[in-house]
Structures are given as structure tokens and as C-alpha cells.
């Protein structure tokens, strides 16, 4: 098909090779357009990435990680750990979403060293690679007997109810379950300082 339409020029010439003066102008315009579009996309990418990061990792917002939450009452707890959801208002760059799940913790009653009643709190995230740890009757790999333990469904690590690994020498996890700070106030309300920790390390590093 003959003619001098835009589509003809675009399919026959490239902005990196020679041609006539008018073609050169067209090529410069085209190249500037491409450059402008690229810079615009780059400018948009920064806030888009920031928004996506905040949506995916809400705890990285200032003020949530390490914050204390009232989750239940002492009387509502048992000796066996149970899961409690941690809710908070999550803000991204533009909106606030109320009562979003930012984490889950295990809570149970315990006896403090001085004999007073206390609360044990643990992250539900396995320190090895981040799977959600379960609790229930499990075969103790050391004794062969069934008892209530924490266990990880991903790679089979087992933990006692105080968070310690049953077999440190054979565990994928390099540390115990991550204990969280918890307290009971004078009215019996249970407060937990929620925190995430770096995975795959022997050291317990808050993130
Ligand atoms: S993620 Fe729990 S043992 Fe690997």
C-alpha cells in the first residue's frame, strides 16, 4: 500500500537510524515522547510502590509495630494456648481501614517465677520461614509420646508450651518461638505488645 501516513513512517523507520529532515523531526518528536512517557512512569512508580508496600506490610507503618493491645481478660484464658487476633486501623497513603488483622498471637495462663499468676504470649509465626504454628496433641520426637505441643505444619518443628524447641539440634528454626511482652492489669485485662521478628536467624530481631 502506497502513501505517507504516520503508520507507514513508524513501521519503516527507527529513531536510531538515518533518514530525511522531516523524518528526523518526526523521530526526535517520537524519541522525546518516549522519554517523557518513561519519566512519567518512573514518577508514578514511586508513590505506587510506596502504597503497595504499605498495603502488604501494614506493620511497617510507624506506630503499629511494638504497640500494646488489650486482647482479652485473664479469666478468659486457659492453661493451653489459644489464638487471639490483633486488630488495628491500617492507614495507607490515602485511606484508613478500621479493624484490620495485623497479626495473631497465642495466649495462655502461666505461673510467674514468684508464684503469682501471669500470662504467656507468643507469636504464631514460625521463626524458621514464617508458617503459622499450630497447637495440639503431637508426638514428641524425643520421647515418642503424644502431648500438647506447638508444631509447625511446614517443616515439622515442635516446641514446648513455653516456646522452647523440643529438639534444638534437629530443628529448622534457629530459635525458640518468639515470646511477646504481656501483662495483666489490676482489673484483669490482658495487654500484649505486638511485634514481628526477623525470620531465619538465631537472634530475635524486631522488625
Ligand atoms: S516454617 Fe516452621 S519449621 Fe519451617
Amino acid at each position: 500500500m502506497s502513501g505517507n501516513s504516520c503508520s507507514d513512517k513508524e513501521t519503516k523507520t527507527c529513531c536510531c537510524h538515518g533518514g530525511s529532515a522531516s523524518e528526523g523531526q518526526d523521530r526526535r518528536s517520537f524519541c522525546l515522547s518516549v522519554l517523557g512517557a518513561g519519566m512519567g512512569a518512573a514518577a508514578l512508580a514511586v508513590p505506587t510502590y510506596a502504597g503497595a508496600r504499605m498495603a502488604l506490610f501494614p506493620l511497617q507503618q510507624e506506630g503499629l509495630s511494638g504497640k500494646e493491645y488489650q486482647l482479652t481478660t485473664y479469666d478468659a484464658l486457659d492453661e493451653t494456648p489459644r489464638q487471639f487476633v490483633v486488630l488495628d486501623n491500617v492507614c495507607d497513603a490515602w485511606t484508613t481501614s478500621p479493624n484490620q488483622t495485623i497479626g495473631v498471637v497465642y495466649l495462655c495462663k502461666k505461673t510467674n517465677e514468684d508464684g503469682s499468676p501471669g500470662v504467656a504470649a507468643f507469636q504464631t509465626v514460625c521463626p524458621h520461614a514464617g508458617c503459622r504454628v499450630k497447637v495440639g496433641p503431637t508426638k514428641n520426637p524425643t520421647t515418642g509420646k503424644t502431648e500438647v505441643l506447638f508444631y509447625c505444619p511446614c517443616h515439622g518443628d515442635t516446641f514446648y508450651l513455653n516456646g522452647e524447641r523440643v529438639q534444638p539440634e534437629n530443628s529448622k528454626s534457629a530459635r525458640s518461638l518468639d515470646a511477646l511482652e504481656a501483662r495483666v492489669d489490676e482489673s484483669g485485662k490482658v495487654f500484649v505488645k505486638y511485634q514481628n521478628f526477623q525470620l531465619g536467624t538465631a537472634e530475635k530481631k524486631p522488625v
Side-chain angles (χ1 to χ4, degrees):
M1 187 175 172
S2 64
N4 199 24
S5 68
C6 286
S7 58
D8 283 339
K9 282 183 187 171
E10 284 167 11
T11 53
K12 291 173 185 170
T13 60
C14 163
C15 65
C16 302
H17 296 86
S20 67
S22 65
E23 284 175 333
Q25 273 189 333
D26 287 348
R27 285 195 299 275
R28 278 192 293 278
S29 299
F30 174 72
C31 290
L32 285 172
S33 300
V34 170
L35 184 62
M39 290 173 70
L44 276 174
V46 173
T48 301
Y49 170 75
R53 186 182 167 91
M54 290 180 87
L56 288 171
F57 306 106
L59 266 183
Q60 291 183 358
Q61 294 178 96
E62 199 172 343
L64 284 190
S65 187
K67 184 175 166 184
E68 190 175 63
Y69 296 86
Q70 195 245 309
L71 298 181
T72 185
T73 61
Y74 183 79
D75 290 342
L77 294 177
D78 303 313
E79 310 300 329
T80 302
R82 284 191 291 124
Q83 292 187 0
F84 290 82
V85 174
V86 183
L87 301 172
D88 206 335
N89 299 333
V90 173
C91 308
D92 64 17
W94 300 276
T95 56
T96 298
S97 304
N99 289 327
Q100 300 298 301
T101 298
I102 62 163
V104 184
V105 300
Y106 278 114
L107 294 178
C108 64
K109 289 179 177 173
K110 73 168 186 179
T111 303
N112 293 324
E113 287 179 2
D114 63 1
S116 62
V119 173
F122 296 97
Q123 254 290 0
T124 54
V125 173
C126 179
H128 172 227
C131 292
R132 180 68 49 84
V133 172
K134 297 177 179 295
V135 68
T138 306
K139 185 177 175 183
N140 182 317
T142 299
T143 65
K145 294 180 179 171
T146 298
E147 59 183 297
V148 177
L149 298 170
F150 290 114
Y151 64 97
C152 181
C154 288
H155 306 104
D157 275 9
T158 48
F159 306 82
Y160 291 112
L161 296 189
N162 65 3
E164 290 179 5
R165 294 165 293 169
V166 173
Q167 288 190 321
E169 65 281 8
N170 294 326
S171 292
K172 299 285 189 300
S173 175
R175 62 176 190 260
S176 302
L177 278 188
D178 293 317
L180 299 168
E181 289 180 33
R183 66 180 177 91
V184 187
D185 76 1
E186 55 287 344
S187 67
K189 290 176 183 169
V190 173
F191 293 83
V192 175
K193 186 173 167 186
Y194 187 74
Q195 182 73 62
N196 283 325
F197 298 92
Q198 190 171 330
L199 302 176
T201 59
E203 191 183 345
K204 187 180 166 187
K205 294 182 190 166
V207 293

